[in-house]
């Protein structure tokens, strides 16, 4: 079956020039009903639509069912020119000669095309269709960067199309595997049986499509939200197949809102196998994509769709750079183009000072970087830039003076001087040489030397957010406080005050800025409102006023006039934006059977459409808003009373006649025109959004111009390029320049005002990361293209014949590694590297004889199952065990914390194996990039090793395990490197890359240990040099020497030979372990194992306050990890006491927040129900839905605070206490406590849910009384019912496990509270006329038993028990199901929050309580003694009647 790409025909909507259409109407609303210009929705040429030439391939492309994969050795790319320059003609409809015409995301024709794409070589001497120079450089960067990011998209979509062709259409639901892999190895997710549900209109993104799909069972329910799939902003594609027309189609989107299967049930009541997701268009200006979606939604086009999720792919991550390169291609002007893109090879680079420093009298002011300003020396420290790239005769004295008066070392002083003297400056900094310090110093000098009459901010660009935060933080320490940090991806709390939004909030807007922002915002709002009307019309069977008014105006003018007659405004009503909201109310009222003589009903519709006041909430403006609304309603009333109802008027028609007339109008309309009209509204809205961005950027630019430094990442620079271009910046400092793609650097240089560009980095460390090996220098064929070669590396090490390297400064003094470790760096790349004096003072590695060692072995690497995820990477189980053994020993010996050790490896497979092996014994820290890479390759579950939001203190107690590629810029005291590769075929993989090896061997400060097969690695030149270093020092072998009490220490498969142990205290003095243990009395507190390891589980006596002092200098030794437990145990009771007080205070605070929300809901329920309409039309229906949704989230903030604190603090604390008690196993140290806090916080959570559902039940009962013939009201009502029922049942189930926990923990009162809460949810279910299997009588009996047995605690809830029991047995419905919680519980909860430290006690069950607040345990308390058994009466022992009478008479006679 030959299947080709679907093509889209021309629009049915008429196209008109801007001159023939009303300008005000194009902007959103025209107030003049007699306006002579056209008000017809049409395509308007307003200058925003780009004209792209249409290209047709020489041959039609067809989808093949064969695997899309290249044969081994087959070229990936084609040298046969692009587009019409190709000898065979254009490859597809997106194969253009000029890059500015290429769509960034692939077209369907491009996806199914199997011809090799054109790719220009990086070699300047190779023949190409463009001559050498700037435009050729831009062309190459664009095509290479686009292919690197888009090829995986093409691969996944092509494979998805094949899946669509092969799948069998079935009506019944079938589970399926959503995770797929293309033949070339790209993983993606495919969701089947996609259906278009509805169109929405977003205020900023325009048209949004909501689709449903069959959800795999493994993702149903709430599991989708924890899967990491379809997250907001992710790039996705709808791939469609029309088998009848034999056409395929592709539309790209970004995820706008992910919804689970529960969301679909709420909307339509469908079964829980269908999930939904809202999608916004990836290219917001692609009108044809909007047209296609509207056609599919309206049934004008047909296809079976699947949803393709492209993992980890964010369009702004590469799309913004490509857009800027396209703009540069239109106007190819970049800074320093003669050096960066010369027309011919440059034999020598002549670098002049920056233009602002070119004057003869200019001097740099260096006072701010002086080390110590002597009081006797008041002269300024200045520096004249060198006139050219050569050296001046006075340079020696200048540099000497610079070193004497600053903290710069030799290399930094030279680099500072040369960077200030060159407009285009490059500085290479080997590991640990202070590159960031140099950058900060340059910023200080340049800022101090600026012309005070025209100061400009410095632009600081870094590759990563971590590096940017570090750079800006150092600037702040130097007193540079006027900083703006663009972008919001920072994890540092202190950066929030320097974000653009925060800075803008402190700046007063000018009058013209306020006016422009208001105008732009109003235009967007008007068009968004129109768009919402259009999407409502297309998503329902009946077209609204927005879709019909143009047709009525042109074809049924008399009818049109009758409707708009009601909307005429008085001349004094000037707030047209608000008045626009009620446009079309006459039609809505008429269509739903309204009578124009029913003024009350008519005014109610108008009032509903106007909604609440949007003016500021103060008394004056509120009165103005009320006055405006009143005058508008009076105008409507006047218009209505002036209209006489005659037989020829539309108001005289019956309801059925009206519906028939509307059906006639719809039949007269072309559905294609209706869909095209929506696309035009979307286009106008996006044009208005651009105008709004321009107005916003003008304010942002004024704010940024007042700063000293603007910091952002390379990705952020592309996003804020237009804004930065307005500032006319002169100076740019790029950190980590060796890791930045040349295409990204080119965008930075595209700021034409740049006259001073400073790049600091090291091209001999890690290169930029690329996705496609066919473009990488690590691939034989990829060297021709070298996308991963930075601009820094290309200019420093030119490959073109006749080209000379650009002059580069070089830092030469390292402050990180001990000299022994630094010998490796000197051997492989940096023979000139000098050790700073401080590096020689690094302490020896605790517990180890050697600070560097190669643990050699010949154990083969693993051979995983080809079907397993591990088959895509390499691992070595033997090395995993050796790493685990070494880490375990270093930690147990007490010399280091986990955060001071790092384990590095080059392969993801080994990373996953090491992390999995160590995670059971210690906390593991994975970088976000490593974690996402492992999840993408199915090597790691999504919920494992999640470190987002961790503090620096928390991360400091976690072992860092990372790939080499994601550890550049980091360091650790001890680094363990697992080389992994060990085989008989001599394969070393990408370990032969010098840059990667350089990074791996330069991260350690005190100790560096390599585990690997030296015989295999020696075959690689760089590794041969490293091995020679270890051999010269005699630090290589199969056994590691350690300091231990035993002769050897066996861990896993490795053996460590031992010598006498030593411990180095923080002061620097070293002692043997036995001496210090005896001095500090360690054996009096706990046992010591035979290898000198503290056995904390065998504590003998609880420690008191311990004085840890060095016996030599009396300095504190408490920082030594071996003895840290002594301090911690001594303060443990006080820690628990304070934690108890904190948890109690927080609990009371959260309860108070919950009560405030509950009171707000209770006070507003009646007024809210009145606001709900009776279903006047689609607009009011949507408003009702939004109002109900917003009210349902009233309690969300309070609820989230409870769950976040519970999950982040309470649960970890209770877990730690339980583990500590079991670990110590000594009641004298820590008794086994039963903490109630987790269950108390669970009660608060379920209480929030109960309040929310009780309120929703009242709304449901009100809406059930409204007009259920309205589709919108019926949907909302049924959705409420389903949501209330589902969540109530879920809460009943959840409370069952909590109640069981209370029973086990003897938490009697809390058990009663939870049981009463569970019964309350049962009452809600019963109010919905639904049964539940909860055994309420048994639960009530248990409550009665507990209340009687524990009268001082559970007994306080007896009244609540009787109230619940009465309602269950048919009594009246209480006002609130949990009214009891406001009285009986309140006093108890307040006491929980009033605990004072020092008054903590434990009851017989281990429950903690405050003796200051409670007389006895508030959970169990006094147990009432059971009543004595009734005495059995022997009635035979009593007198019979006759005998009794005789006895009575005898007594009377006496």
């Amino acid at each position: 079956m030959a299947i080709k790409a679907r093509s889209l025909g021309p629009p049915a909507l008429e196209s008109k020039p801007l001159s023939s259409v009303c300008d005000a109407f194009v902007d959103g609303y025209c107030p003049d009903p007699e306006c002579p210009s056209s008000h017809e929705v049409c395509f308007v040429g307003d200058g925003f639509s780009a004209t792209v030439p249409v290209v047709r391939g020489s041959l039609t492309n067809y989808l093949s069912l064969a695997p899309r994969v290249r044969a081994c050795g087959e070229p990936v790319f084609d040298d046969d020119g692009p587009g019409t320059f190709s000898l065979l003609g254009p490859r597809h409809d997106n194969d253009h000669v000029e890059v500015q015409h290429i769509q960034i995301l692939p077209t369907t024709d491009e996806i199914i095309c199997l011809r090799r794409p054109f790719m220009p070589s990086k070699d300047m001497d190779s023949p190409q269709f463009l001559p050498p120079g700037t435009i050729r450089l831009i062309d190459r960067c664009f095509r290479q960067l686009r292919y690197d990011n888009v090829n995986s998209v093409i691969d996944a979509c092509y494979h998805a199309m094949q899946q669509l062709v092969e799948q069998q259409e079935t009506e019944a639901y079938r589970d399926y595997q959503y995770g797929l892999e293309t033949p070339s190895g790209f993983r993606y997710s495919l969701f089947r049986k996609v259906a278009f549900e509805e169109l929405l209109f977003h205020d900023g993104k325009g048209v949004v499509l909501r689709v449903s799909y069959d959800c795999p069972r493994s993702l149903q329910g709430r599991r989708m939200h924890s899967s990491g799939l379809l997250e907001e902003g992710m790039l996705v594609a709808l791939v469609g197949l029309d088998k009848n027309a034999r056409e395929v189609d592709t539309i790209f989107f970004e995820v706008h809102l992910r919804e689970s299967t529960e969301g679909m049930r709420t909307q339509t009541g469908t079964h829980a196998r269908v999930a939904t997701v809202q999608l916004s268009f990836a290219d917001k200006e692609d009108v044809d994509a909007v047209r296609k979606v509207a056609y599919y939604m309206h049934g004008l086009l047909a296809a079976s769709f699947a949803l393709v999720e492209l993992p980890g792919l964010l369009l702004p991550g590469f799309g913004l750079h490509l857009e800027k390169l396209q703009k540069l291609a239109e106007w190819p002007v970049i800074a320093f183009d003669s050096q960066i893109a010369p027309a011919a090879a440059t034999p020598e680079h002549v670098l002049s000072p920056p233009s602002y420093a070119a004057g003869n009298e200019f001097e740099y002011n260096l006072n701010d970087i002086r080390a110590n300003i002597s009081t006797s020396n008041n002269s300024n420290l200045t520096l004249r830039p060198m006139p050219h790239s050569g050296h001046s005769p006075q340079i020696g004295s200048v540099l000497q003076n610079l070193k004497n008066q600053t903290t710069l070392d030799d290399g930094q002083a030279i680099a500072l001087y040369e960077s200030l003297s060159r407009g285009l400056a490059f500085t290479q900094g080997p590991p640990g040489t202070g590159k960031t310090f140099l950058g900060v110093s340059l910023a200080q000098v340049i800022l101090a030397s600026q012309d005070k009459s025209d100061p400009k901010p410095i632009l600081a660009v870094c590759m990563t957010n971590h590096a940017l935060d570090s750079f800006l933080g150092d600037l702040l320490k130097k007193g540079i406080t006027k900083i703006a940090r663009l972008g919001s991806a920072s994890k540092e709390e202190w950066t929030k005050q320097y974000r653009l939004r925060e800075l803008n909030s402190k700046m007063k807007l000018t009058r013209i800025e306020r006016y422009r922002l208001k105008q732009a915002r109003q235009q967007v709002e008007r068009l968004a409102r129109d768009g919402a009307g259009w999407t409502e019309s297309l998503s329902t069977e009946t077209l609204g006023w927005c879709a019909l008014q143009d047709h009525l105006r042109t074809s049924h003018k008399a009818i049109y006039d009758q409707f708009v007659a009601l909307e005429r405004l008085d001349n004094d009503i000037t707030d047209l934006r608000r008045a626009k909201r009620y446009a079309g109310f006459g039609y809505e009222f008429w269509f739903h059977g309204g009578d124009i003589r029913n003024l009350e009903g008519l005014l109610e519709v108008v009032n509903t459409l106007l909604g609440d006041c949007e003016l500021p909430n103060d008394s004056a403006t509120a009165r103005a808003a009320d006055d405006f609304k009143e005058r508008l309603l009076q105008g409507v009333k006047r218009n209505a009373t002036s209209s006489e109802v005659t037989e020829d008027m539309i108001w005289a028609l019956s309801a059925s006649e009206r519906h028939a007339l509307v059906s006639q109008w719809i039949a007269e309309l072309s559905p294609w025109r209706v869909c095209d009209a929506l696309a035009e509204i979307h286009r106008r809205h996006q044009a208005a959004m651009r105008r709004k961005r321009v107005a916003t950027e003008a304010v942002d630019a004024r704010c940024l111009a007042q700063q000293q430094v603007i910091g952002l990442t390379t990705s952020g620079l592309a996003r804020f390029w237009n804004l930065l271009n307005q500032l006319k910046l002169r100076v740019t400092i790029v950190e980590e320049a060796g890791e930045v793609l040349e295409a990204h650097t080119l965008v930075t240089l595209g700021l034409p005002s740049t006259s001073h560009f400073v790049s600091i980095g090291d091209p001999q460390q890690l290169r930029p990361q690329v996705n496609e090996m066919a473009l990488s220098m690590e691939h034989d064929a990829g060297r021709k293209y070298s996308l991963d070669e930075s601009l820094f590396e290309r200019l420093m090490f030119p490959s073109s014949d006749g080209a000379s390297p650009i002059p580069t400064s070089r830092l030469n003094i390292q402050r990180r590694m001990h000299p022994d470790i630094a010998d490796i760096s000197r051997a492989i790349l940096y023979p000139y590297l000098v050790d700073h004096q401080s590096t020689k003072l690094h302490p020896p590695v605790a517990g180890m004889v050697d600070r560097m060692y190669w643990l050699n072995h010949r154990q083969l690497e693993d051979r995983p199952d080809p079907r397993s995820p591990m088959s895509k990477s390499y691992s070595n189980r033997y090395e995993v065990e050796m790493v685990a053994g070494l880490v375990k020993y270093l930690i147990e010996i007490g010399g280091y914390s986990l955060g001071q050790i790092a384990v590095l490896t080059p392969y993801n497979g080994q990373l996953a194996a090491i992390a999995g092996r160590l995670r059971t014994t210690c906390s593991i820290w994975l970088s976000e990039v490593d974690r996402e890479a492992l999840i993408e390759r199915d090597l790691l579950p999504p919920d494992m090793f999640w470190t987002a939001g961790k503090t620096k203190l928390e991360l400091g107690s976690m072992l860092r395990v990372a790939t080499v590629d994601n550890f550049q810029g980091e360091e650790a005291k001890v680094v363990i490197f697992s080389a992994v590769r060990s085989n008989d075929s001599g394969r070393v993989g990408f370990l032969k890359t010098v840059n990667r090896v350089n990074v791996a061997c330069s991260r350690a400060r005190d100790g560096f240990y390599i585990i690997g097969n030296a015989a295999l690695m020696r075959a690689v030149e760089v590794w041969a040099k490293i091995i020679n270093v270890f051999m010269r020092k005699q630090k290589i072998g199969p056994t590691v020497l350690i300091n231990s009490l035993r002769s050897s220490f066996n861990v896993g498969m490795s053996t460590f030979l031992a010598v006498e142990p030593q411990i180095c205290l923080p002061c620097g003095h070293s002692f043997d372990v036995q001496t210090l243990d005896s001095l500090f009395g360690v054996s009096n507190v706990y046992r010591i194992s035979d290898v000198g390891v503290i056995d904390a589980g065998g504590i003998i006596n609880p420690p008191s306050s311990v004085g840890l002092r060095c016996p030599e200098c009396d300095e504190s030794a408490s920082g030594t990890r071996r003895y840290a437990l002594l301090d911690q145990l001594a303060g443990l009771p006080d820690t628990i006491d304070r934690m108890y007080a904190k948890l109690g205070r927080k609990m009371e605070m959260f309860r108070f927040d919950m009560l405030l929300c509950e009171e707000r809901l209770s006070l507003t329920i009646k007024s809210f129900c009145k606001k709900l309409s009776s279903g006047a039309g689609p607009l009011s229906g949507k408003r009702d839905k939004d109002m109900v949704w917003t009210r349902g989230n009233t309690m969300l903030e309070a609820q989230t605070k409870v769950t976040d604190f519970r999950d982040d603090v309470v649960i970890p604390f209770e877990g730690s206490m339980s583990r500590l008690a079991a670990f110590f196993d000594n009641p004298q140290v820590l008794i086994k406590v039963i903490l109630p806090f987790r269950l108390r916080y669970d009660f608060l959570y379920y209480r929030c849910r109960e309040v929310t559902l009780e309120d929703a039940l009242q709304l449901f009962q009100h809406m059930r009384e409204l007009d259920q013939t309205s589709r919108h009201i019926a949907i909302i009502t049924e959705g409420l019912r389903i949501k209330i029922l589902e969540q109530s049942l879920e809460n009943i189930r959840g409370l069952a496990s909590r109640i069981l926990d209370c029973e086990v923990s003897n938490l009697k009162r809390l058990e009663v509270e939870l049981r009463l809460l569970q019964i309350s949810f049962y009452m809600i279910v019963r109010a919905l006329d639904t049964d539940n299997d909860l055994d309420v009588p048994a639960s009530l009996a248990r409550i009665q038993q507990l209340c009687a047995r524990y009268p001082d605690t559970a007994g306080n809830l007896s009244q609540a028990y009787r109230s619940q029991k009465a309602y269950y047995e048919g009594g009246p419905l209480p006002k609130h199901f949990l009214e009891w919680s406001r009285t009986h519980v309140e006093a108890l909860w307040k006491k929980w929050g009033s605990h004072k430290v020092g008054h903590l006690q434990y009851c017989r069950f281990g429950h903690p309580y405050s003796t200051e607040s409670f007389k006895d345990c508030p959970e169990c308390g006094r147990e009432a003694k059971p009543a004595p058994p009734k005495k059995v009466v022997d009635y035979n022992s009593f007198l019979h009647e006759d005998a009794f009478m005789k006895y009575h008479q005898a007594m009377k006679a006496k």
Side-chain angles (χ1 to χ4, degrees), residues 20 318 365 936 1055 1067 1265:
S20 66
F318 65 92
N365 183 348
E936 181 181 338
T1055 300
C1067 59
E1265 303 301 323

Side-chain angles (χ1 to χ4, degrees), residues 1085-1189:
V1085 179
Y1086 38 60
R1087 301 184 185 92
I1088 308 295
S1089 70
D1090 56 353
V1091 293
V1093 175
I1094 293 174
D1095 183 8
I1099 272 204
I1100 302 169
N1101 297 306
S1104 57
S1105 58
V1106 180
L1108 302 177
R1109 295 285 173 180
C1110 172
E1112 186 74 23
C1113 63
D1114 202 38
E1115 290 290 328
S1116 173
S1118 60
T1120 308
R1121 188 174 185 276
R1122 181 176 179 84
Y1123 306 114
L1125 194 58
L1126 290 172
D1127 282 345
Q1128 294 172 7
L1129 285 176
L1132 187 58
D1134 183 65
T1135 300
I1136 296 173
D1137 202 351
R1138 293 181 183 279
M1139 197 65 183
Y1140 181 97
K1142 176 182 178 180
L1143 296 182
R1145 286 194 302 270
K1146 281 285 189 180
M1147 195 160 60
E1148 168 58 15
M1149 182 182 71
F1150 293 147
R1151 187 191 70 88
F1152 184 73
D1153 290 344
M1154 180 197 70
L1155 290 178
L1156 288 179
C1157 293
E1158 181 181 12
E1159 185 176 3
R1160 185 161 65 247
L1161 288 173
S1162 178
L1163 293 174
T1164 59
I1165 182 64
K1166 291 184 179 179
S1167 60
F1168 182 83
C1169 289
K1170 290 181 180 179
K1171 288 183 180 180
L1172 294 175
S1173 67
S1174 57
L1179 293 179
S1180 57
K1182 183 177 185 300
R1183 175 175 168 271
D1184 288 346
K1185 183 173 69 174
D1186 293 341
M1187 288 171 57
V1188 170
W1189 182 86

Side-chain angles (χ1 to χ4, degrees), residues 99 119-122 128 134-149 321-322 325-326 328 340 741-747 775 785-787 789 791 794:
V99 295
M119 189 60 61
S121 168
K122 198 164 193 173
Q128 287 187 24
T134 303
I135 189 62
R136 177 166 165 175
L137 174 63
I138 296 171
D139 181 271
R140 171 175 60 78
C141 287
F142 176 88
R143 294 183 190 275
Q144 290 186 0
L145 182 63
R146 180 178 182 271
Y147 180 86
D148 187 56
N149 289 278
H321 284 98
L322 291 173
L325 289 173
Q326 287 179 318
L328 288 177
I340 293 170
L741 286 166
E742 184 170 7
H744 292 187
T745 307
L746 204 59
V747 172
L775 295 172
Y785 308 102
S786 300
L787 176 61
E789 181 183 49
L791 176 69
R794 178 170 71 84

Side-chain angles (χ1 to χ4, degrees), residues 57 127 183 255 353 478 518 744 775 846 898 932 985 1061 1091 1152:
V255 176
K478 296 296 183 180
K518 180 181 178 181
H744 292 187
L775 295 172
L898 288 171
E932 288 178 355
S985 55
V1091 293
F1152 184 73

Side-chain angles (χ1 to χ4, degrees), residues 1410-1421:
S1410 173
T1411 56
E1412 184 79 5
S1413 305
F1414 303 103
K1415 293 181 180 179
D1416 202 348
C1417 175
E1419 294 296 348
C1420 51

Side-chain angles (χ1 to χ4, degrees), residues 95 102 143 226 270 355-356 369-370 448 494 558 570 635 665 684 714 732 832 1066 1213 1246 1389 1408:
D95 187 17
I102 297 176
R143 294 183 190 275
S226 60
T270 353
S355 58
Y356 68 84
I369 64 170
R370 281 175 126 165
W494 62 265
D570 291 340
W665 296 338
R684 290 182 181 175
T714 53
T732 299
Y832 54 84
F1213 172 68
Y1246 284 109
W1389 284 76

